[in-house]
PDB file of all heavy atoms in Angstrom:
ATOM      1  N   THR A  67      40.838  -0.222  25.776  1.00  0.00           N
ATOM      2  CA  THR A  67      39.801   0.755  25.432  1.00  0.00           C
ATOM      3  C   THR A  67      38.658   0.060  24.716  1.00  0.00           C
ATOM      4  O   THR A  67      38.861  -0.617  23.706  1.00  0.00           O
ATOM      5  CB  THR A  67      40.375   1.863  24.530  1.00  0.00           C
ATOM      6  OG1 THR A  67      41.475   2.492  25.196  1.00  0.00           O
ATOM      7  CG2 THR A  67      39.316   2.918  24.227  1.00  0.00           C
ATOM      8  N   ALA A  68      37.444   0.224  25.256  1.00  0.00           N
ATOM      9  CA  ALA A  68      36.255  -0.317  24.608  1.00  0.00           C
ATOM     10  C   ALA A  68      35.753   0.673  23.564  1.00  0.00           C
ATOM     11  O   ALA A  68      35.988   1.893  23.667  1.00  0.00           O
ATOM     12  CB  ALA A  68      35.170  -0.579  25.644  1.00  0.00           C
ATOM     13  N   ASN A  69      35.080   0.160  22.536  1.00  0.00           N
ATOM     14  CA  ASN A  69      34.497   1.061  21.539  1.00  0.00           C
ATOM     15  C   ASN A  69      33.449   1.956  22.193  1.00  0.00           C
ATOM     16  O   ASN A  69      32.772   1.564  23.147  1.00  0.00           O
ATOM     17  CB  ASN A  69      33.879   0.268  20.382  1.00  0.00           C
ATOM     18  CG  ASN A  69      32.858  -0.743  20.857  1.00  0.00           C
ATOM     19  OD1 ASN A  69      33.174  -1.623  21.646  1.00  0.00           O
ATOM     20  ND2 ASN A  69      31.620  -0.619  20.394  1.00  0.00           N
ATOM     21  N   GLY A  70      33.348   3.162  21.690  1.00  0.00           N
ATOM     22  CA  GLY A  70      32.459   4.148  22.290  1.00  0.00           C
ATOM     23  C   GLY A  70      31.122   4.258  21.585  1.00  0.00           C
ATOM     24  O   GLY A  70      30.853   3.590  20.590  1.00  0.00           O
ATOM     25  N   GLY A  71      30.283   5.123  22.116  1.00  0.00           N
ATOM     26  CA  GLY A  71      28.965   5.367  21.547  1.00  0.00           C
ATOM     27  C   GLY A  71      28.081   6.047  22.558  1.00  0.00           C
ATOM     28  O   GLY A  71      28.298   5.945  23.776  1.00  0.00           O
ATOM     29  N   GLY A  72      27.075   6.746  22.088  1.00  0.00           N
ATOM     30  CA  GLY A  72      26.185   7.465  22.982  1.00  0.00           C
ATOM     31  C   GLY A  72      25.356   6.523  23.834  1.00  0.00           C
ATOM     32  O   GLY A  72      24.811   5.536  23.348  1.00  0.00           O
ATOM     33  N   GLY A  73      25.279   6.819  25.132  1.00  0.00           N
ATOM     34  CA  GLY A  73      24.426   6.057  26.027  1.00  0.00           C
ATOM     35  C   GLY A  73      24.891   4.657  26.339  1.00  0.00           C
ATOM     36  O   GLY A  73      24.086   3.819  26.762  1.00  0.00           O
ATOM     37  N   ILE A  74      26.171   4.358  26.159  1.00  0.00           N
ATOM     38  CA  ILE A  74      26.683   3.008  26.428  1.00  0.00           C
ATOM     39  C   ILE A  74      27.262   2.941  27.843  1.00  0.00           C
ATOM     40  O   ILE A  74      27.991   3.820  28.270  1.00  0.00           O
ATOM     41  CB  ILE A  74      27.756   2.596  25.401  1.00  0.00           C
ATOM     42  CG1 ILE A  74      27.128   2.456  24.008  1.00  0.00           C
ATOM     43  CG2 ILE A  74      28.404   1.276  25.801  1.00  0.00           C
ATOM     44  CD1 ILE A  74      28.103   2.035  22.940  1.00  0.00           C
ATOM     45  N   SER A  75      26.915   1.872  28.560  1.00  0.00           N
ATOM     46  CA  SER A  75      27.485   1.596  29.878  1.00  0.00           C
ATOM     47  C   SER A  75      28.455   0.427  29.755  1.00  0.00           C
ATOM     48  O   SER A  75      28.292  -0.437  28.887  1.00  0.00           O
ATOM     49  CB  SER A  75      26.384   1.253  30.879  1.00  0.00           C
ATOM     50  OG  SER A  75      25.471   2.333  31.015  1.00  0.00           O
ATOM     51  N   TYR A  76      29.442   0.395  30.659  1.00  0.00           N
ATOM     52  CA  TYR A  76      30.511  -0.592  30.558  1.00  0.00           C
ATOM     53  C   TYR A  76      30.688  -1.351  31.871  1.00  0.00           C
ATOM     54  O   TYR A  76      30.500  -0.799  32.961  1.00  0.00           O
ATOM     55  CB  TYR A  76      31.845   0.086  30.201  1.00  0.00           C
ATOM     56  CG  TYR A  76      31.798   0.914  28.947  1.00  0.00           C
ATOM     57  CD1 TYR A  76      31.483   2.266  29.001  1.00  0.00           C
ATOM     58  CD2 TYR A  76      32.065   0.342  27.706  1.00  0.00           C
ATOM     59  CE1 TYR A  76      31.438   3.027  27.834  1.00  0.00           C
ATOM     60  CE2 TYR A  76      32.017   1.094  26.549  1.00  0.00           C
ATOM     61  CZ  TYR A  76      31.699   2.439  26.619  1.00  0.00           C
ATOM     62  OH  TYR A  76      31.650   3.188  25.473  1.00  0.00           O
ATOM     63  N   GLN A  77      31.088  -2.595  31.757  1.00  0.00           N
ATOM     64  CA  GLN A  77      31.523  -3.393  32.897  1.00  0.00           C
ATOM     65  C   GLN A  77      32.686  -4.259  32.436  1.00  0.00           C
ATOM     66  O   GLN A  77      32.528  -5.130  31.576  1.00  0.00           O
ATOM     67  CB  GLN A  77      30.405  -4.280  33.431  1.00  0.00           C
ATOM     68  CG  GLN A  77      30.856  -5.239  34.533  1.00  0.00           C
ATOM     69  CD  GLN A  77      31.410  -4.535  35.756  1.00  0.00           C
ATOM     70  OE1 GLN A  77      30.709  -3.767  36.402  1.00  0.00           O
ATOM     71  NE2 GLN A  77      32.690  -4.747  36.073  1.00  0.00           N
ATOM     72  N   TRP A  78      33.868  -4.008  33.030  1.00  0.00           N
ATOM     73  CA  TRP A  78      35.049  -4.775  32.644  1.00  0.00           C
ATOM     74  C   TRP A  78      35.075  -6.110  33.373  1.00  0.00           C
ATOM     75  O   TRP A  78      34.640  -6.226  34.530  1.00  0.00           O
ATOM     76  CB  TRP A  78      36.323  -3.979  32.925  1.00  0.00           C
ATOM     77  CG  TRP A  78      36.505  -2.874  31.939  1.00  0.00           C
ATOM     78  CD1 TRP A  78      36.099  -1.579  32.076  1.00  0.00           C
ATOM     79  CD2 TRP A  78      37.098  -2.982  30.643  1.00  0.00           C
ATOM     80  NE1 TRP A  78      36.407  -0.869  30.939  1.00  0.00           N
ATOM     81  CE2 TRP A  78      37.026  -1.689  30.048  1.00  0.00           C
ATOM     82  CE3 TRP A  78      37.687  -4.015  29.926  1.00  0.00           C
ATOM     83  CZ2 TRP A  78      37.515  -1.433  28.772  1.00  0.00           C
ATOM     84  CZ3 TRP A  78      38.183  -3.763  28.664  1.00  0.00           C
ATOM     85  CH2 TRP A  78      38.091  -2.485  28.104  1.00  0.00           C
ATOM     86  N   ILE A  79      35.589  -7.118  32.681  1.00  0.00           N
ATOM     87  CA  ILE A  79      35.566  -8.498  33.151  1.00  0.00           C
ATOM     88  C   ILE A  79      36.983  -9.076  33.056  1.00  0.00           C
ATOM     89  O   ILE A  79      37.658  -8.888  32.045  1.00  0.00           O
ATOM     90  CB  ILE A  79      34.605  -9.340  32.293  1.00  0.00           C
ATOM     91  CG1 ILE A  79      33.181  -8.753  32.357  1.00  0.00           C
ATOM     92  CG2 ILE A  79      34.597 -10.794  32.736  1.00  0.00           C
ATOM     93  CD1 ILE A  79      32.261  -9.303  31.284  1.00  0.00           C
ATOM     94  N   ARG A  80      37.416  -9.751  34.131  1.00  0.00           N
ATOM     95  CA  ARG A  80      38.725 -10.433  34.129  1.00  0.00           C
ATOM     96  C   ARG A  80      38.499 -11.903  34.432  1.00  0.00           C
ATOM     97  O   ARG A  80      37.920 -12.246  35.478  1.00  0.00           O
ATOM     98  CB  ARG A  80      39.667  -9.806  35.155  1.00  0.00           C
ATOM     99  CG  ARG A  80      41.056 -10.459  35.199  1.00  0.00           C
ATOM    100  CD  ARG A  80      42.020  -9.688  36.090  1.00  0.00           C
ATOM    101  NE  ARG A  80      41.523  -9.543  37.434  1.00  0.00           N
ATOM    102  CZ  ARG A  80      41.537  -8.397  38.124  1.00  0.00           C
ATOM    103  NH1 ARG A  80      42.028  -7.299  37.588  1.00  0.00           N
ATOM    104  NH2 ARG A  80      41.071  -8.348  39.361  1.00  0.00           N
ATOM    105  N   ASN A  81      38.933 -12.751  33.518  1.00  0.00           N
ATOM    106  CA  ASN A  81      38.759 -14.197  33.679  1.00  0.00           C
ATOM    107  C   ASN A  81      37.304 -14.540  34.030  1.00  0.00           C
ATOM    108  O   ASN A  81      37.026 -15.308  34.964  1.00  0.00           O
ATOM    109  CB  ASN A  81      39.713 -14.739  34.743  1.00  0.00           C
ATOM    110  CG  ASN A  81      41.152 -14.740  34.273  1.00  0.00           C
ATOM    111  OD1 ASN A  81      41.442 -14.613  33.081  1.00  0.00           O
ATOM    112  ND2 ASN A  81      42.088 -14.842  35.207  1.00  0.00           N
ATOM    113  N   ASN A  82      36.386 -13.948  33.283  1.00  0.00           N
ATOM    114  CA  ASN A  82      34.944 -14.234  33.365  1.00  0.00           C
ATOM    115  C   ASN A  82      34.280 -13.731  34.642  1.00  0.00           C
ATOM    116  O   ASN A  82      33.128 -14.098  34.926  1.00  0.00           O
ATOM    117  CB  ASN A  82      34.675 -15.742  33.213  1.00  0.00           C
ATOM    118  CG  ASN A  82      35.195 -16.284  31.892  1.00  0.00           C
ATOM    119  OD1 ASN A  82      35.054 -15.654  30.850  1.00  0.00           O
ATOM    120  ND2 ASN A  82      35.821 -17.457  31.939  1.00  0.00           N
ATOM    121  N   LYS A  83      34.974 -12.880  35.406  1.00  0.00           N
ATOM    122  CA  LYS A  83      34.376 -12.297  36.610  1.00  0.00           C
ATOM    123  C   LYS A  83      34.412 -10.767  36.508  1.00  0.00           C
ATOM    124  O   LYS A  83      35.434 -10.196  36.101  1.00  0.00           O
ATOM    125  CB  LYS A  83      35.127 -12.748  37.866  1.00  0.00           C
ATOM    126  CG  LYS A  83      35.004 -14.238  38.151  1.00  0.00           C
ATOM    127  CD  LYS A  83      35.725 -14.604  39.442  1.00  0.00           C
ATOM    128  CE  LYS A  83      35.575 -16.096  39.736  1.00  0.00           C
ATOM    129  NZ  LYS A  83      36.272 -16.471  41.001  1.00  0.00           N
ATOM    130  N   ASN A  84      33.314 -10.127  36.888  1.00  0.00           N
ATOM    131  CA  ASN A  84      33.257  -8.668  36.849  1.00  0.00           C
ATOM    132  C   ASN A  84      34.323  -8.071  37.764  1.00  0.00           C
ATOM    133  O   ASN A  84      34.547  -8.567  38.885  1.00  0.00           O
ATOM    134  CB  ASN A  84      31.890  -8.169  37.298  1.00  0.00           C
ATOM    135  CG  ASN A  84      30.791  -8.444  36.292  1.00  0.00           C
ATOM    136  OD1 ASN A  84      31.066  -8.827  35.150  1.00  0.00           O
ATOM    137  ND2 ASN A  84      29.548  -8.270  36.689  1.00  0.00           N
ATOM    138  N   ILE A  85      34.965  -7.012  37.293  1.00  0.00           N
ATOM    139  CA  ILE A  85      35.948  -6.289  38.105  1.00  0.00           C
ATOM    140  C   ILE A  85      35.195  -5.170  38.815  1.00  0.00           C
ATOM    141  O   ILE A  85      34.670  -4.254  38.179  1.00  0.00           O
ATOM    142  CB  ILE A  85      37.077  -5.709  37.248  1.00  0.00           C
ATOM    143  CG1 ILE A  85      37.707  -6.807  36.391  1.00  0.00           C
ATOM    144  CG2 ILE A  85      38.131  -5.051  38.126  1.00  0.00           C
ATOM    145  CD1 ILE A  85      38.723  -6.288  35.391  1.00  0.00           C
ATOM    146  N   GLU A  86      35.138  -5.257  40.124  1.00  0.00           N
ATOM    147  CA  GLU A  86      34.322  -4.323  40.907  1.00  0.00           C
ATOM    148  C   GLU A  86      34.746  -2.879  40.680  1.00  0.00           C
ATOM    149  O   GLU A  86      35.925  -2.533  40.754  1.00  0.00           O
ATOM    150  CB  GLU A  86      34.430  -4.664  42.393  1.00  0.00           C
ATOM    151  CG  GLU A  86      33.530  -3.816  43.279  1.00  0.00           C
ATOM    152  CD  GLU A  86      33.594  -4.222  44.737  1.00  0.00           C
ATOM    153  OE1 GLU A  86      34.248  -5.246  45.042  1.00  0.00           O
ATOM    154  OE2 GLU A  86      32.993  -3.529  45.566  1.00  0.00           O
ATOM    155  N   GLY A  87      33.769  -2.038  40.363  1.00  0.00           N
ATOM    156  CA  GLY A  87      34.006  -0.604  40.225  1.00  0.00           C
ATOM    157  C   GLY A  87      34.586  -0.170  38.901  1.00  0.00           C
ATOM    158  O   GLY A  87      34.751   1.026  38.661  1.00  0.00           O
ATOM    159  N   GLU A  88      34.908  -1.116  38.001  1.00  0.00           N
ATOM    160  CA  GLU A  88      35.531  -0.750  36.721  1.00  0.00           C
ATOM    161  C   GLU A  88      34.449  -0.643  35.650  1.00  0.00           C
ATOM    162  O   GLU A  88      34.108  -1.613  34.976  1.00  0.00           O
ATOM    163  CB  GLU A  88      36.604  -1.768  36.332  1.00  0.00           C
ATOM    164  CG  GLU A  88      37.779  -1.814  37.292  1.00  0.00           C
ATOM    165  CD  GLU A  88      38.539  -0.482  37.368  1.00  0.00           C
ATOM    166  OE1 GLU A  88      38.413   0.331  36.436  1.00  0.00           O
ATOM    167  OE2 GLU A  88      39.234  -0.269  38.377  1.00  0.00           O
ATOM    168  N   THR A  89      33.904   0.556  35.526  1.00  0.00           N
ATOM    169  CA  THR A  89      32.770   0.792  34.619  1.00  0.00           C
ATOM    170  C   THR A  89      33.030   1.941  33.644  1.00  0.00           C
ATOM    171  O   THR A  89      32.092   2.511  33.101  1.00  0.00           O
ATOM    172  CB  THR A  89      31.498   1.086  35.439  1.00  0.00           C
ATOM    173  OG1 THR A  89      31.735   2.197  36.318  1.00  0.00           O
ATOM    174  CG2 THR A  89      31.083  -0.124  36.261  1.00  0.00           C
ATOM    175  N   ASN A  90      34.309   2.276  33.453  1.00  0.00           N
ATOM    176  CA  ASN A  90      34.655   3.311  32.472  1.00  0.00           C
ATOM    177  C   ASN A  90      34.902   2.682  31.096  1.00  0.00           C
ATOM    178  O   ASN A  90      34.987   1.458  30.966  1.00  0.00           O
ATOM    179  CB  ASN A  90      35.892   4.086  32.915  1.00  0.00           C
ATOM    180  CG  ASN A  90      35.645   4.888  34.176  1.00  0.00           C
ATOM    181  OD1 ASN A  90      34.562   5.433  34.368  1.00  0.00           O
ATOM    182  ND2 ASN A  90      36.643   4.951  35.038  1.00  0.00           N
ATOM    183  N   GLN A  91      35.067   3.525  30.106  1.00  0.00           N
ATOM    184  CA  GLN A  91      35.335   3.029  28.756  1.00  0.00           C
ATOM    185  C   GLN A  91      36.728   2.427  28.651  1.00  0.00           C
ATOM    186  O   GLN A  91      36.990   1.586  27.788  1.00  0.00           O
ATOM    187  CB  GLN A  91      35.170   4.150  27.729  1.00  0.00           C
ATOM    188  CG  GLN A  91      35.277   3.689  26.273  1.00  0.00           C
ATOM    189  CD  GLN A  91      35.125   4.831  25.288  1.00  0.00           C
ATOM    190  OE1 GLN A  91      34.799   5.955  25.659  1.00  0.00           O
ATOM    191  NE2 GLN A  91      35.374   4.558  24.015  1.00  0.00           N
ATOM    192  N   THR A  92      37.640   2.822  29.533  1.00  0.00           N
ATOM    193  CA  THR A  92      39.016   2.314  29.513  1.00  0.00           C
ATOM    194  C   THR A  92      39.318   1.574  30.809  1.00  0.00           C
ATOM    195  O   THR A  92      38.697   1.822  31.852  1.00  0.00           O
ATOM    196  CB  THR A  92      40.029   3.448  29.331  1.00  0.00           C
ATOM    197  OG1 THR A  92      39.872   4.397  30.403  1.00  0.00           O
ATOM    198  CG2 THR A  92      39.828   4.149  27.996  1.00  0.00           C
ATOM    199  N   TYR A  93      40.288   0.670  30.726  1.00  0.00           N
ATOM    200  CA  TYR A  93      40.737  -0.064  31.913  1.00  0.00           C
ATOM    201  C   TYR A  93      42.234  -0.304  31.804  1.00  0.00           C
ATOM    202  O   TYR A  93      42.729  -0.749  30.763  1.00  0.00           O
ATOM    203  CB  TYR A  93      40.005  -1.400  32.051  1.00  0.00           C
ATOM    204  CG  TYR A  93      40.486  -2.225  33.210  1.00  0.00           C
ATOM    205  CD1 TYR A  93      40.216  -1.849  34.517  1.00  0.00           C
ATOM    206  CD2 TYR A  93      41.260  -3.372  32.994  1.00  0.00           C
ATOM    207  CE1 TYR A  93      40.675  -2.591  35.588  1.00  0.00           C
ATOM    208  CE2 TYR A  93      41.723  -4.123  34.071  1.00  0.00           C
ATOM    209  CZ  TYR A  93      41.428  -3.720  35.363  1.00  0.00           C
ATOM    210  OH  TYR A  93      41.899  -4.445  36.420  1.00  0.00           O
ATOM    211  N   SER A  94      42.959  -0.006  32.889  1.00  0.00           N
ATOM    212  CA  SER A  94      44.409  -0.198  32.934  1.00  0.00           C
ATOM    213  C   SER A  94      44.696  -1.586  33.505  1.00  0.00           C
ATOM    214  O   SER A  94      44.490  -1.835  34.701  1.00  0.00           O
ATOM    215  CB  SER A  94      45.058   0.886  33.793  1.00  0.00           C
ATOM    216  OG  SER A  94      46.455   0.714  33.868  1.00  0.00           O
ATOM    217  N   ALA A  95      45.171  -2.492  32.652  1.00  0.00           N
ATOM    218  CA  ALA A  95      45.382  -3.886  33.041  1.00  0.00           C
ATOM    219  C   ALA A  95      46.856  -4.154  33.323  1.00  0.00           C
ATOM    220  O   ALA A  95      47.721  -3.782  32.531  1.00  0.00           O
ATOM    221  CB  ALA A  95      44.878  -4.809  31.942  1.00  0.00           C
ATOM    222  N   LYS A  96      47.136  -4.820  34.458  1.00  0.00           N
ATOM    223  CA  LYS A  96      48.494  -5.175  34.829  1.00  0.00           C
ATOM    224  C   LYS A  96      48.677  -6.665  35.056  1.00  0.00           C
ATOM    225  O   LYS A  96      49.782  -7.181  34.922  1.00  0.00           O
ATOM    226  CB  LYS A  96      48.913  -4.429  36.103  1.00  0.00           C
ATOM    227  CG  LYS A  96      49.080  -2.932  35.944  1.00  0.00           C
ATOM    228  CD  LYS A  96      49.572  -2.309  37.235  1.00  0.00           C
ATOM    229  CE  LYS A  96      49.795  -0.808  37.095  1.00  0.00           C
ATOM    230  NZ  LYS A  96      50.280  -0.209  38.368  1.00  0.00           N
ATOM    231  N   LYS A  97      47.611  -7.361  35.431  1.00  0.00           N
ATOM    232  CA  LYS A  97      47.707  -8.780  35.767  1.00  0.00           C
ATOM    233  C   LYS A  97      47.527  -9.658  34.536  1.00  0.00           C
ATOM    234  O   LYS A  97      46.733  -9.329  33.647  1.00  0.00           O
ATOM    235  CB  LYS A  97      46.650  -9.143  36.808  1.00  0.00           C
ATOM    236  CG  LYS A  97      46.821  -8.450  38.145  1.00  0.00           C
ATOM    237  CD  LYS A  97      45.734  -8.891  39.113  1.00  0.00           C
ATOM    238  CE  LYS A  97      45.912  -8.234  40.479  1.00  0.00           C
ATOM    239  NZ  LYS A  97      44.860  -8.661  41.435  1.00  0.00           N
TER     240      LYS A  97
END
Side-chain angles (χ1 to χ4, degrees):
T67 303
N69 55 301
I74 294 181
S75 300
Y76 304 91
Q77 174 60 61
W78 286 94
I79 301 166
R80 181 172 57 226
N81 289 344
N82 301 318
K83 294 182 179 180
N84 289 349
I85 306 173
E86 185 177 354
E88 296 298 340
T89 56
N90 294 323
Q91 186 181 352
T92 58
Y93 177 70
S94 179
K96 292 183 178 180
K97 296 181 178 180

